[in-house]
Short mmCIF file of all heavy atoms in Angstrom, two decimals:
data_model
loop_
_atom_site.label_atom_id
_atom_site.label_comp_id
_atom_site.label_asym_id
_atom_site.label_seq_id
_atom_site.Cartn_x
_atom_site.Cartn_y
_atom_site.Cartn_z
N THR A 1 -1.97 -16.86 2.54
CA THR A 1 -2.91 -15.83 2.93
C THR A 1 -2.35 -15.14 4.23
O THR A 1 -2.40 -13.96 4.37
CB THR A 1 -4.29 -16.64 3.28
OG1 THR A 1 -4.79 -17.13 2.04
CG2 THR A 1 -5.32 -15.58 3.73
N LEU A 2 -1.83 -15.94 5.15
CA LEU A 2 -1.24 -15.46 6.38
C LEU A 2 -0.03 -14.42 6.05
O LEU A 2 0.15 -13.45 6.66
CB LEU A 2 -0.95 -16.57 7.38
CG LEU A 2 -2.05 -17.19 7.95
CD1 LEU A 2 -1.50 -18.49 8.64
CD2 LEU A 2 -2.85 -16.31 8.92
N ALA A 3 0.71 -14.94 5.13
CA ALA A 3 1.88 -13.98 4.62
C ALA A 3 1.38 -12.68 4.13
O ALA A 3 1.93 -11.64 4.43
CB ALA A 3 2.75 -14.77 3.69
N GLY A 4 0.31 -12.77 3.30
CA GLY A 4 -0.29 -11.56 2.81
C GLY A 4 -0.82 -10.68 3.99
O GLY A 4 -0.62 -9.47 3.99
N ASP A 5 -1.37 -11.32 4.97
CA ASP A 5 -1.93 -10.51 6.16
C ASP A 5 -0.77 -9.79 6.95
O ASP A 5 -0.89 -8.72 7.31
CB ASP A 5 -2.69 -11.42 7.06
CG ASP A 5 -3.94 -11.99 6.51
OD1 ASP A 5 -4.44 -11.39 5.49
OD2 ASP A 5 -4.53 -12.91 7.11
N LEU A 6 0.45 -10.57 6.98
CA LEU A 6 1.60 -9.83 7.56
C LEU A 6 2.07 -8.75 6.79
O LEU A 6 2.29 -7.70 7.36
CB LEU A 6 2.67 -10.96 7.70
CG LEU A 6 2.64 -12.04 8.71
CD1 LEU A 6 3.78 -13.11 8.52
CD2 LEU A 6 2.79 -11.39 10.14
N CYS A 7 2.03 -8.81 5.52
CA CYS A 7 2.53 -7.75 4.64
C CYS A 7 1.52 -6.52 4.74
O CYS A 7 2.01 -5.42 4.73
CB CYS A 7 2.62 -8.17 3.18
SG CYS A 7 3.99 -9.27 2.85
N LEU A 8 0.26 -6.85 4.94
CA LEU A 8 -0.64 -5.80 5.03
C LEU A 8 -0.43 -5.13 6.34
O LEU A 8 -0.49 -3.82 6.44
CB LEU A 8 -2.14 -6.36 5.09
CG LEU A 8 -3.35 -5.46 4.97
CD1 LEU A 8 -3.21 -4.56 3.69
CD2 LEU A 8 -4.64 -6.23 4.98
N ALA A 9 -0.14 -5.80 7.38
CA ALA A 9 0.08 -5.11 8.62
C ALA A 9 1.43 -4.33 8.64
O ALA A 9 1.53 -3.25 9.14
CB ALA A 9 0.11 -6.16 9.81
N TRP A 10 2.40 -4.96 7.99
CA TRP A 10 3.68 -4.31 7.98
C TRP A 10 3.68 -3.05 7.02
O TRP A 10 4.40 -2.08 7.29
CB TRP A 10 4.71 -5.26 7.34
CG TRP A 10 5.04 -6.36 8.32
CD1 TRP A 10 4.57 -6.46 9.65
CD2 TRP A 10 5.61 -7.65 7.85
NE1 TRP A 10 5.02 -7.69 10.12
CE2 TRP A 10 5.65 -8.41 9.10
CE3 TRP A 10 6.20 -8.17 6.71
CZ2 TRP A 10 6.22 -9.71 9.10
CZ3 TRP A 10 6.74 -9.44 6.70
CH2 TRP A 10 6.76 -10.22 7.97
N SER A 11 2.82 -2.93 6.13
CA SER A 11 2.67 -1.74 5.26
C SER A 11 2.22 -0.57 6.15
O SER A 11 2.74 0.53 6.04
CB SER A 11 1.63 -1.91 4.15
OG SER A 11 0.36 -2.12 4.62
N ASP A 12 1.30 -0.82 7.07
CA ASP A 12 0.72 0.25 8.08
C ASP A 12 1.95 0.56 8.92
O ASP A 12 2.16 1.69 9.20
CB ASP A 12 -0.49 -0.33 8.77
CG ASP A 12 -1.10 0.80 9.43
OD1 ASP A 12 -0.63 1.13 10.52
OD2 ASP A 12 -2.17 1.28 8.96
N GLU A 13 2.68 -0.42 9.39
CA GLU A 13 3.71 -0.14 10.35
C GLU A 13 4.85 0.78 9.72
O GLU A 13 5.38 1.65 10.29
CB GLU A 13 4.26 -1.39 10.87
CG GLU A 13 5.43 -1.17 11.83
CD GLU A 13 5.92 -2.64 12.44
OE1 GLU A 13 5.18 -3.61 12.31
OE2 GLU A 13 6.98 -2.56 12.93
N LEU A 14 5.24 0.46 8.51
CA LEU A 14 6.31 1.27 7.79
C LEU A 14 5.74 2.73 7.66
O LEU A 14 6.67 3.62 7.89
CB LEU A 14 6.59 0.77 6.36
CG LEU A 14 7.76 -0.32 6.33
CD1 LEU A 14 7.75 -0.97 4.98
CD2 LEU A 14 9.00 0.39 6.67
N LEU A 15 4.56 3.01 7.29
CA LEU A 15 4.07 4.38 7.21
C LEU A 15 4.13 4.99 8.53
O LEU A 15 4.67 6.09 8.70
CB LEU A 15 2.68 4.34 6.62
CG LEU A 15 2.03 5.68 6.38
CD1 LEU A 15 2.97 6.59 5.43
CD2 LEU A 15 0.62 5.64 6.00
N ALA A 16 3.54 4.35 9.52
CA ALA A 16 3.40 4.90 10.81
C ALA A 16 4.71 5.29 11.48
O ALA A 16 4.91 6.12 12.33
CB ALA A 16 2.64 3.98 11.72
N THR A 17 5.83 4.48 11.20
CA THR A 17 7.09 4.67 11.91
C THR A 17 8.18 5.12 10.96
O THR A 17 9.38 5.13 11.41
CB THR A 17 7.57 3.23 12.38
OG1 THR A 17 7.84 2.34 11.37
CG2 THR A 17 6.57 2.68 13.42
N CYS A 18 7.84 5.88 9.86
CA CYS A 18 8.71 6.27 8.88
C CYS A 18 9.54 7.44 9.34
O CYS A 18 10.71 7.71 8.81
CB CYS A 18 8.10 6.59 7.49
SG CYS A 18 7.05 8.03 7.67
N GLY A 19 9.11 8.20 10.28
CA GLY A 19 9.87 9.35 10.77
C GLY A 19 9.29 10.72 10.32
O GLY A 19 9.83 11.73 10.76
N LEU A 20 8.36 10.65 9.45
CA LEU A 20 7.76 11.92 8.95
C LEU A 20 6.92 12.55 10.20
O LEU A 20 6.55 11.81 11.08
CB LEU A 20 6.76 11.68 7.86
CG LEU A 20 7.49 11.36 6.45
CD1 LEU A 20 6.49 11.27 5.35
CD2 LEU A 20 8.42 12.48 6.01
N SER A 21 6.70 13.85 10.14
CA SER A 21 6.02 14.46 11.27
C SER A 21 4.58 13.92 11.43
O SER A 21 3.95 13.42 10.33
CB SER A 21 5.92 16.00 11.05
OG SER A 21 5.04 16.26 9.96
N PRO A 22 4.04 14.05 12.65
CA PRO A 22 2.65 13.50 12.79
C PRO A 22 1.67 14.36 11.92
O PRO A 22 0.75 13.74 11.37
CB PRO A 22 2.26 13.95 14.35
CG PRO A 22 3.75 13.75 14.92
CD PRO A 22 4.71 14.28 13.96
N SER A 23 1.95 15.60 11.59
CA SER A 23 1.00 16.34 10.80
C SER A 23 1.09 15.89 9.33
O SER A 23 0.04 15.74 8.59
CB SER A 23 1.31 17.77 10.84
OG SER A 23 2.68 18.00 10.43
N ALA A 24 2.31 15.58 8.84
CA ALA A 24 2.38 14.88 7.53
C ALA A 24 1.63 13.63 7.39
O ALA A 24 0.97 13.39 6.42
CB ALA A 24 3.82 14.82 7.15
#
């Protein structure tokens, strides 16, 4: 369950730090 929670947080982090523009 905790591993799943980590993956959930990391999914958000990957999107937020992917390098696409803030508007995109």
Side-chain angles (χ1 to χ4, degrees):
T1 299
L2 291 168
D5 292 345
L6 282 172
C7 288
L8 190 60
W10 295 343
S11 71
D12 192 278
E13 184 177 339
L14 266 172
L15 180 67
T17 62
C18 69
L20 291 177
S21 70
S23 60

